[in-house]
Amino acid sequence: MIRIAERFQVSHFLVFYLIHSLQFGVGVLGYQRIVAEKSGNDAWIAVILAGFIVHISLWMIYRTLRHSNGNIITLHKEVLGKWIGGFFSLILALYFGFGAITVLRTYIEIVEVWMFPDLNVWIFSIFFLLLVFYIVSGGFRVVAGISFFGIVLPMYLLFTFLFPIQFSDFSNLLPIFNHSVKDIAISTKHMSLTIIGFEALLVFYPFIKNIEKSKKWAHLAVVFSTFIYTLVIIISLIYFSEEQLQKNVWATLTIWKIVEFPFVERFEYIGIANWCLIILPNVCLSLWCASRCLKDAFKFNQKYTLVVILLLALLTNTLSKTREQISLLNDLVGEIGFYIIVGYIPFMFVVTWVSRKVKENKA
């Protein structure tokens, strides 16, 4: 049983910022090419479908944890037993840990390619992870605060996506529904790496003051994330031809190259620099979840566990040097995230429901 003192909990509306900050990361800088690979000009349909699937998963999470005495870790022990439950908790901790590593390493790669080719990955990772340690050590309320500012401060970047409209061809979206259901389904699966993150609710659930009121804000966060991803991919589809889009690894950054202001020549540099503020809460919350899973499952000290995870993150970031290695890391996390959405969450929903029905019948 996990009881969190009210002074450590956050208001229900902050769930909006917590979920959106995890869903909105480095993926938005280059997901267009991957999603449009199979479905072409119908890729926006796949994005909306992915958002719809997330809503269903979010509903399952709330229903699963409704009668729990804590978070998903306590539910693992209650429903699956000590050993199997501990194994599931360990997998979940590794998933959140590798998710944070993937986000950070992908961002560093963007900085290397677009700004500083001779960037020292080791030094950059050390300073970034020291900042993460400082924030996560402050507790969940500090992490929630960083998530708030990580969304509000860079919000102006949304307006930069209006610049390509004057050079766009809306006929690129036609004809609609000219791809098979299979192609759209594959594209929906490819959205998994980009839209995952909401499942952190499984871990920070006890830290919300008013659970019932938070449901609305959680679903609004998914709506907002889906809206932005749909907007960005539609703009990308009307700005690029399908052939051009497949040649742009970072389509969003290419779009930023046409943004012009009298006081700045290369806006993509500003965008990349500001993106550091966007991925910071993403990494902080993921590592908080990873260390919290290990604490609740195995009674480890969360601060010491965090140090070990940060050292592993530093080692992984340093060893991952080639584009192939970073892509492999992204694909692995995206694949696991997909199966968590379509497999693990429904599995826990069904197992928990059956377990409660059995207990009710015995009573």
Side-chain angles (χ1 to χ4, degrees), residues 6 36 47 52 61 69 91 116 124 172 206 216 221 223 261 265 293 313 329 345 350:
E6 188 174 343
V47 176
F52 179 71
I61 290 173
N69 294 314
I91 295 298
F116 306 113
F124 185 93
N172 286 350
K216 174 183 69 176
V223 169
F261 291 107
E265 185 177 350
C293 284
L329 198 59
I345 292 174
V350 172

Side-chain angles (χ1 to χ4, degrees), residues 28-56:
V28 74
L29 299 178
Y31 74 103
Q32 302 96 314
R33 177 181 63 88
I34 300 170
V35 177
E37 184 178 1
K38 288 290 184 181
S39 55
N41 64 306
D42 286 331
W44 60 274
I45 300 174
V47 176
I48 294 175
L49 284 175
F52 179 71
I53 292 170
V54 170
H55 279 292
I56 296 174

Side-chain angles (χ1 to χ4, degrees), residues 92-105:
L92 208 57
L94 291 172
Y95 166 69
F96 284 118
F98 275 106
I101 292 169
T102 302
V103 170
L104 179 56
R105 187 62 188 93

Side-chain angles (χ1 to χ4, degrees), residues 4-172:
I4 305 299
E6 188 174 343
R7 68 180 186 276
F8 298 124
Q9 294 179 319
V10 298
S11 298
H12 55 275
F13 73 91
L14 285 174
V15 172
F16 175 90
Y17 300 96
L18 289 165
I19 290 180
H20 178 64
S21 66
L22 276 169
Q23 286 192 300
F24 199 74
V26 289
V28 74
L29 299 178
Y31 74 103
Q32 302 96 314
R33 177 181 63 88
I34 300 170
V35 177
E37 184 178 1
K38 288 290 184 181
S39 55
N41 64 306
D42 286 331
W44 60 274
I45 300 174
V47 176
I48 294 175
L49 284 175
F52 179 71
I53 292 170
V54 170
H55 279 292
I56 296 174
S57 299
L58 204 57
W59 176 81
M60 286 185 179
I61 290 173
Y62 273 107
R63 295 287 294 184
T64 302
L65 297 177
R66 184 173 56 172
H67 299 297
S68 68
N69 294 314
N71 57 13
I72 193 65
I73 307 304
T74 55
L75 203 59
H76 281 163
K77 293 179 182 177
E78 178 187 340
V79 177
L80 302 175
K82 180 181 177 181
W83 296 106
I84 298 177
F87 174 75
F88 271 76
S89 299
L90 179 61
I91 295 298
L92 208 57
L94 291 172
Y95 166 69
F96 284 118
F98 275 106
I101 292 169
T102 302
V103 170
L104 179 56
R105 187 62 188 93
T106 305
Y107 177 73
I108 293 174
E109 183 197 20
I110 293 170
V111 175
E112 285 181 296
V113 172
W114 286 81
M115 296 177 68
F116 306 113
D118 298 324
L119 177 73
N120 190 313
V121 176
W122 175 265
I123 299 298
F124 185 93
S125 298
I126 286 176
F127 280 101
F128 190 93
L129 293 174
L130 281 174
L131 178 60
V132 170
F133 176 76
Y134 176 73
I135 293 169
V136 177
S137 297
F140 183 72
R141 289 170 66 91
V142 177
V143 175
I146 291 296
S147 299
F148 173 80
F149 286 111
I151 293 173
V152 173
L153 294 181
M155 189 67 73
Y156 75 94
L157 290 172
L158 288 178
F159 296 103
T160 61
F161 293 108
L162 300 177
F163 280 83
I165 293 179
Q166 58 185 317
F167 307 109
S168 299
D169 183 3
F170 284 87
S171 65
N172 286 350

